[in-house]
Amino acid sequence: MTLESQPSLAVRAAGADDAAAMAAVLGRAFDDDPLWAWLVPDEASRVRRLTGVFEIMLRRVHLRHDGTEAAGRGTRTEAAALWSPPGHWRVPARVQAAQVVPLLRVLGARMPTSLRTLSVIEKHHPREPHWYLAVIGADPPAQGNGLGGALLRSRLDRCDAAGIPAYLESSKERNVPYYERFGFKVTRELALPGKGAPPVWLMWREPGQGGG
């Protein structure tokens, strides 16, 4: 295949039919993430467990908000971004309750630690209206091809047009400068409870910051 005939990069709105492929991509993408590696320490089962977690998040939370997008070259699903629109970042109690059994099947004995950790992060979530980037990741073999940047620009361009801020939590320190290129700024390095727990970086972006 020549360079000219290679499929072009495309970003598209995601639907229920994309959930399994997107979850698999995110499971592989977060295999080396410090926070998720701490929450799911068993290397042999981590990708499988994370894939299960992300599929639950997609089907029960994010896809209903029409803020989730997939990206890839041609029709392939190689990256995903899970956004929540203003006023919808908090998962309703009824949805949380419905997720307990599925998450327990996936996380097993690590579920209490995972829920406690995520609860601490949620307590520091800003209350001002904003778009919330809950998860973004690219399949490891496809990283470095601009997929993450395309996904970020897709939503951030619309945030700028509407004058709406954006927010994310980075669980990998080396990604902080990357997000800063898109206009995000660190508001806090948040220490998490638990022996060996890594920190997360809370990042806010005012509209019109450009970047990329």
Side-chain angles (χ1 to χ4, degrees):
M1 180 182 291
T2 65
L3 181 62
E4 290 77 12
S5 64
Q6 288 181 6
S8 59
L9 190 157
V11 175
R12 67 183 188 279
D17 291 344
D18 299 300
M22 292 172 70
V25 162
L26 292 172
R28 293 188 292 269
F30 281 83
D31 185 28
D32 67 345
D33 181 86
L35 178 59
W36 284 106
W38 181 74
L39 291 174
V40 185
D42 181 49
E43 295 182 11
S45 65
R46 185 182 300 139
V47 170
R48 174 178 60 80
R49 291 178 187 274
L50 292 184
T51 298
V53 169
F54 290 125
E55 186 157 6
I56 292 168
M57 291 173 63
L58 279 159
R59 294 190 184 280
R60 296 177 180 265
V61 179
H62 291 283
L63 286 174
R64 68 181 62 193
H65 294 317
D66 297 324
T68 294
E69 293 183 319
R73 290 159 294 181
T75 59
R76 287 178 285 183
T77 298
E78 297 178 296
L82 281 55
W83 290 89
S84 293
H88 293 280
W89 62 267
R90 191 190 298 275
V91 180
R94 59 180 175 76
V95 178
Q96 292 185 38
Q99 293 181 107
V100 169
V101 173
L103 284 173
L104 184 59
R105 293 195 189 107
V106 172
L107 293 171
R110 295 297 290 173
M111 183 170 170
T113 299
S114 299
L115 294 182
R116 183 168 59 251
T117 301
L118 297 176
S119 177
V120 170
I121 296 173
E122 184 179 285
K123 287 179 181 178
H124 295 273
H125 199 115
R127 268 44 181 182
E128 301 95 319
H130 61 276
W131 274 89
Y132 171 47
L133 179 56
V135 180
I136 186 170
D139 215 343
Q143 290 174 7
N145 289 305
L147 296 165
L151 284 168
L152 283 168
R153 285 191 295 271
S154 176
R155 176 57 58 192
L156 294 178
D157 285 350
R158 283 173 278 180
C159 285
D160 290 344
I164 301 175
Y167 172 75
L168 62 83
E169 300 115 357
S170 179
S171 49
K172 187 179 287 186
E173 185 174 13
R174 73 168 182 257
N175 286 346
V176 169
Y178 176 76
Y179 294 127
E180 289 176 335
R181 284 171 38 200
F182 290 86
F184 286 92
K185 296 181 180 179
V186 174
T187 59
R188 178 170 182 168
E189 180 179 335
L190 180 63
L192 297 175
K195 184 178 179 181
V200 295
W201 288 263
L202 314 185
M203 304 189 72
W204 180 263
R205 180 188 186 274
E206 290 292 339
Q209 295 302 301

